[in-house]
Amino acid sequence: MNVFKSCLIVFSLCLITQHPLFSQTQSDDKVFYHTVERGQTVYSIALMYDVPEEDIYRLNPSSRQYVKSGEKLKIPQKEVATLSEERKDEMYVYYTIQTGETLYGVSKRYKIPAEEISGANPGLTFQSFVAGKIIRIPVAKIQSEPTIVTQTVVKKIEYTIKKKETIYGICKQFNLTSDQLLRYNPELKSGLKAGMLIIIPVEAEETVTIAPEQEEFDLDAVMTARNEIRKTNVARIAMLLPFQTNNSPNSGRFLEYYEGFLLAVDSMRSSGMSVELSVHDIGDTNQKLQMTLENEALKKSNLLIGGVTNEQIELIGEFALKNNIKYVVPSYSKCDRLTSSNASVFQVNTPYQYLFSYATARACALFSDYNIILLDTHDKDEKTLFINTFKADMRERKIDFRELSFNATSFSKDLAAILVTTKPNLIVPVSSSVEALRKIKTPLRTLADGKPEYRLTLFGYPEWQTYTDFLEDFFVLNTHIYTSFYANNLSKEVQRFNTKYNYWYRKNMAPTYPKYAMLGFDTGMFFISAINKYGTSFEGNIQNLAYSSIQTGFRFERVNNWSGFINTNLYIVCFNRNFTITRTE
């Protein structure tokens, strides 16, 4: 290859990498790269960027089977040129931050004010503006073409003086005044000599490209303003729940939720916090909810709580975003487009894929030196996603495990053949059903009692805390469960709450999982405390809020730089052999 061709290739590559939508060195304007984080699936990533799952599978064929934390996926970029002007107002392109890059640098690349980028990414901080993270760029704000103008410029040319030339003659030749000529050539004041080299100023018209001016943007100042504590004298909260519905179990649960929330309001008022609570029955239909959202007084709320169905949650979410109101989704546990793109949303119930991923990571940390046995009892309620995630995590961490298929006639013998005495043994059923527990509890207890050297431990699921008939077995088998919710009925805090609830409402709580009255109480205590301590813009400080729950723990994190928050709290509950219960976060 000759030198000319080499130079041409290098020049071409330079032009390509300077294109505004060139996201990173191994990308182009048609794709960008997303680094998978714990708990994310192809489905949740597709929701995040509003692209079809099939497009991600097409660009990343192996993702059909599994995606793991740290893996880089190609994501199709929006075809900006094909969008109508109306659609551009609500569309974004996505950019992968490069090593050493600044927000100011990205703003220059896209010819868009840095504050517009910051506004489109409410979660943007110094911690999240790092190489590999994604930010979104509002399409309507991108200035795709620079300004082109024609202006008069002064060019300097060199001129050699000839014999017998005079200053007058040179000025006349180039249409200059003597002052102009002397300004550029002060040495002419001493006289003119043939052969002298002088400068001649010549005016000419020139077409120039002017990029939009970009001011330096102080992200630190913006973050300080976002996190500034704006105290309020009163917390204005609106609750929108289906109290009168055709689904009586649903209405009963949310009535209990409301009752528990009232106990939180009473507790916060006793500590000096003023709370204004309005309650709205939104029923089963969207029509009733839409009428409620037309209430002008609702726009003055600091916090909205409620919504059950997808449609209800989406309507309330849009209203909250439009009116800059925080919105708490109390019982929805699916991964939803709303949480991925609406910065006003706080999802209390952890989406299953995040819960499973955090639980398996914790299990790997707790039981890495155990003899781990996955037990298939061939029952319903198999936790396929959890087990597959657990297997993948163990393989990645090089933790050995075994798999055993349950056979009623030979289970004790089959299990004993793979148990060891050199380290503890962990039994993990792949089903969470009560039938699965019934099959294995007696053989496991026989082994635990007769062969204590096996040091058996049982690991299982949130549903198990409702199987009260197995409580003694759980203690004997040193059972650990993972869960988002757990109330220890032996604790003084839970006993006090039960006593107060019974006194106020003259009834016991329904035996549900979770207990909705406790869910309402914990939610009320947490968010009213947040408003009391940090004001209505509490989101920037929410991770600093310490709250000791009776059932529901809170650890809110953003899904991405422009999303709302999901609760990533996880409890590991251990039924110890000494008949005590410990709950650790």
Side-chain angles (χ1 to χ4, degrees):
M1 184 182 294
N2 61 37
V3 174
F4 175 75
K5 288 184 177 179
S6 299
C7 292
L8 184 61
I9 290 172
V10 170
F11 178 71
S12 300
L13 288 173
C14 290
L15 288 179
I16 292 171
T17 56
Q18 289 171 8
H19 191 284
L21 298 184
F22 185 84
S23 293
Q24 57 185 47
T25 53
Q26 70 254 57
S27 180
D28 56 34
D29 62 349
K30 296 185 182 299
V31 299
F32 61 97
Y33 286 79
H34 172 89
T35 302
V36 179
E37 296 184 7
R38 178 158 290 279
Q40 292 181 339
T41 63
V42 171
Y43 173 72
S44 66
I45 295 168
L47 287 178
M48 188 183 301
Y49 299 114
D50 193 23
V51 298
E53 286 179 80
E54 282 300 321
D55 284 359
I56 298 179
Y57 291 140
R58 176 176 52 80
L59 292 172
N60 310 273
S62 65
S63 65
R64 284 190 183 275
Q65 282 70 48
Y66 182 73
V67 292
K68 64 180 181 179
S69 178
E71 181 180 353
K72 285 189 176 181
L73 297 180
K74 288 181 182 179
I75 310 296
Q77 187 67 268
K78 297 290 183 184
E79 292 284 351
V80 179
T82 65
L83 297 175
S84 66
E85 289 303 316
E86 291 181 358
R87 289 197 64 205
K88 283 182 181 180
D89 286 338
E90 54 188 32
M91 298 301 291
Y92 301 89
V93 292
Y94 298 92
Y95 180 74
T96 309
I97 299 167
Q98 303 300 293
T99 302
E101 200 161 33
T102 64
L103 182 59
Y104 176 62
V106 176
S107 73
K108 288 182 68 177
R109 173 188 290 265
Y110 280 93
K111 304 179 182 67
I112 176 176
E115 54 266 36
E116 295 286 356
I117 299 176
S118 178
N121 298 272
L124 199 59
T125 65
F126 287 108
Q127 289 72 35
S128 62
F129 193 91
V130 294
K133 292 287 187 180
I134 308 291
I135 54 176
R136 65 178 186 176
I137 310 294
V139 170
K141 303 294 183 179
I142 297 175
Q143 299 181 29
S144 57
E145 294 296 335
T147 304
I148 299 175
V149 298
T150 301
Q151 61 184 23
T152 301
V153 297
V154 176
K155 293 187 175 183
K156 300 173 185 178
I157 62 173
E158 292 182 341
Y159 180 77
T160 303
I161 297 175
K162 301 179 181 63
K163 288 181 179 181
K164 298 184 180 181
E165 279 195 302
T166 63
I167 289 177
Y168 173 77
I170 293 172
C171 289
K172 187 175 181 181
Q173 179 182 346
F174 291 103
N175 195 26
L176 297 173
T177 66
S178 58
D179 288 339
Q180 288 175 315
L181 185 62
L182 291 172
R183 189 184 315 133
Y184 284 90
N185 304 276
E187 69 275 14
L188 293 181
K189 293 178 181 178
S190 302
L192 201 64
K193 293 181 181 179
M196 287 180 66
L197 191 66
I198 64 172
I199 300 298
I200 304 295
V202 177
E203 288 188 352
E205 287 194 344
E206 183 178 79
T207 300
V208 295
T209 302
I210 302 176
E213 289 187 10
Q214 297 290 333
E215 296 181 359
E216 286 285 357
F217 182 69
D218 191 347
L219 182 58
D220 188 26
V222 172
M223 292 311 305
T224 300
R226 282 181 184 168
N227 296 341
E228 182 184 346
I229 298 175
R230 300 177 178 88
K231 287 285 187 178
T232 179
N233 295 325
V234 58
R236 296 182 175 86
I237 302 172
M239 187 171 285
L240 302 97
L241 291 172
F243 296 111
Q244 297 179 3
T245 72
N246 296 323
N247 186 339
S248 54
N250 238 359
S251 59
R253 283 196 293 265
F254 287 110
L255 177 60
E256 277 199 6
Y257 181 91
Y258 167 58
E259 291 168 343
F261 196 90
L262 282 180
L263 294 181
V265 171
D266 179 68
S267 295
M268 293 304 298
R269 282 175 175 165
S270 298
S271 65
M273 181 66 185
S274 180
V275 181
E276 289 182 4
L277 177 65
S278 62
V279 183
H280 308 266
D281 177 20
I282 60 175
D284 287 326
T285 65
N286 290 342
Q287 183 179 4
K288 193 168 185 180
L289 172 59
Q290 286 171 332
M291 291 176 62
T292 302
L293 295 178
E294 291 173 3
N295 185 343
E296 286 296 316
L298 208 60
K299 295 179 181 179
K300 298 178 181 179
S301 304
N302 307 134
L303 191 72
L304 303 175
I305 301 175
V308 178
T309 66
N310 287 5
E311 293 80 7
Q312 288 175 341
I313 292 169
E314 189 165 332
L315 284 171
I316 300 171
E318 290 174 358
F319 177 87
L321 185 63
K322 181 179 179 181
N323 294 284
N324 193 28
I325 305 171
K326 306 300 181 294
Y327 171 36
V328 176
V329 185
S331 65
Y332 194 73
S333 60
K334 295 180 181 178
C335 187
D336 191 87
R337 190 186 310 278
L338 183 72
T339 310
S340 297
S341 59
N342 188 329
S344 296
V345 173
F346 292 80
Q347 187 170 340
V348 169
N349 212 349
T350 309
Y352 293 122
Q353 63 266 35
Y354 286 92
L355 180 62
F356 292 162
S357 184
Y358 296 140
T360 60
R362 187 65 184 139
C364 285
L366 284 173
F367 307 116
S368 60
D369 57 349
Y370 280 55
N371 178 38
I372 300 174
I373 300 168
L374 306 181
L375 178 58
D376 187 355
T377 59
H378 313 291
D379 286 294
K380 63 179 182 178
D381 300 330
E382 286 195 355
K383 296 292 188 178
T384 304
L385 179 57
F386 173 83
I387 293 296
N388 287 344
T389 306
F390 193 20
K391 287 180 180 179
D393 277 351
M394 286 190 288
R395 291 187 182 111
E396 187 174 346
R397 291 167 173 77
K398 295 181 172 52
I399 299 173
D400 293 330
F401 64 91
R402 304 185 185 200
E403 297 183 73
L404 178 64
S405 180
F406 179 84
N407 185 311
T409 59
S410 62
F411 173 60
S412 294
K413 182 179 178 181
D414 295 340
L415 181 61
I418 58 175
L419 293 174
V420 298
T421 57
T422 55
K423 56 184 176 181
N425 294 273
L426 182 74
I427 312 298
V428 186
V430 302
S431 166
S432 65
S433 71
V434 68
E435 291 81 8
L437 278 175
R438 286 200 182 103
K439 285 180 180 179
I440 66 176
K441 72 162 188 172
T442 301
L444 289 180
R445 284 202 60 172
T446 301
L447 282 168
D449 293 336
K451 296 279 188 179
E453 62 268 26
Y454 284 145
R455 292 176 286 171
L456 289 182
T457 292
L458 187 63
F459 185 75
Y461 306 97
E463 299 92 319
W464 285 10
Q465 62 186 287
T466 65
Y467 302 162
T468 53
D469 291 344
F470 295 87
L471 191 57
E472 183 181 334
D473 304 301
F474 289 158
F475 285 120
V476 173
L477 295 171
N478 192 40
T479 302
H480 291 62
I481 64 172
Y482 72 88
T483 180
S484 294
F485 309 96
Y486 183 75
N488 183 357
N489 290 320
L490 302 178
S491 73
K492 292 180 181 178
E493 292 79 13
V494 171
Q495 290 173 355
R496 277 197 294 267
F497 178 82
N498 287 338
T499 300
K500 188 172 183 180
Y501 183 87
N502 293 338
Y503 176 78
W504 272 48
Y505 302 113
R506 300 288 187 254
K507 65 177 181 178
N508 293 321
M509 288 174 283
T512 59
Y513 165 77
K515 287 184 167 57
Y516 272 67
M518 291 185 179
L519 177 60
F521 178 79
D522 280 331
T523 304
M525 291 295 292
F526 182 83
F527 282 100
I528 297 173
S529 296
I531 295 173
N532 182 38
K533 189 171 183 179
Y534 299 117
T536 55
S537 297
F538 56 78
E539 65 273 19
N541 295 287
I542 198 165
Q543 292 180 331
N544 301 324
L545 186 67
Y547 170 67
S548 180
S549 74
I550 58 172
Q551 176 186 250
T552 311
F554 301 102
R555 187 177 64 210
F556 285 102
E557 296 180 4
R558 288 192 190 271
V559 178
N560 53 54
N561 278 320
W562 57 91
S563 74
F565 293 80
I566 61 170
N567 183 14
T568 62
N569 185 72
L570 175 76
Y571 290 129
I572 298 294
V573 179
C574 181
F575 298 85
N576 303 296
R577 290 190 180 94
N578 63 359
F579 289 87
T580 61
I581 300 174
T582 54
R583 183 187 75 174
T584 57
E585 293 189 46

